[in-house]
Amino acid sequence: MRELVERVVVDAPPQQVWAALTDWTRQGEWMLLTDVEVTGGDPHAVGGRLAARTGLPVRGRRLGVLDTMVVTEWDPPRRAVVQHTGRIVRGPGTFEVTPQGAGSLVTWTEQLWLPFGLLGQLGWPLVKPAAVAGVRLSLKRFADFARRYTGRA
């Protein structure tokens, strides 16, 4: 298992940041090359199901990796954990929001179970820099999204 942990300070109160962070179907507005849809249950409760497709847009769809998830922890406005259940992306992903001054600190943690056995283990050092860069850019975009966030569309 490999772990990525990235953080960003957001100039908005925790309740607003939490609402923006868990507005799952709008994650594509800040998460790099990703569209998210609710696929079952209440996405704001344990057992809710989501599907994210990350990749390049082709003919109105994203062509890339399908990332299915189930919500396994739900502690608003502080912590949400999803279990990635796809063929490529597997393992827990955690979003945490903590007060920081007049704003909030968002911590995004991914614990990845690498696919493809030994090939995945050997390939991780090549893939990790791109994964870290993507998460950092997404969090930078999220900070702006959350600061302007006024509610679900």
Side-chain angles (χ1 to χ4, degrees), residues 17-93:
V17 171
W18 175 261
L21 191 60
T22 60
D23 190 345
W24 305 116
T25 59
R26 291 187 64 192
Q27 280 190 351
E29 294 178 43
W30 58 269
M31 197 174 290
L32 194 61
L33 298 173
T34 299
D35 291 322
V36 178
E37 66 179 304
V38 175
T39 58
D42 180 354
H44 299 110
V46 170
R49 295 188 174 277
L50 307 162
R53 186 166 298 277
T54 301
L56 299 174
V58 175
R59 295 185 182 148
R61 292 189 51 197
R62 292 234 181 253
L63 203 55
V65 175
L66 177 62
D67 177 10
T68 55
M69 295 163 269
V70 63
V71 177
T72 58
E73 289 184 43
W74 187 257
D75 184 16
R78 193 180 71 78
R79 178 179 164 96
V81 179
V82 298
Q83 179 68 35
H84 298 279
T85 59
R87 290 184 175 173
I88 303 294
V89 183
R90 299 186 62 79

Side-chain angles (χ1 to χ4, degrees), residues 103-138:
S104 305
L105 175 68
V106 173
T107 303
W108 181 357
T109 303
E110 293 288 347
Q111 294 177 317
L112 303 169
W113 301 333
L114 300 177
F116 312 121
L118 182 58
L119 183 59
Q121 298 289 332
L122 294 173
W124 176 244
L126 300 174
V127 173
K128 183 179 179 182
V132 169
V135 169
R136 286 181 181 164
L137 177 56
S138 293

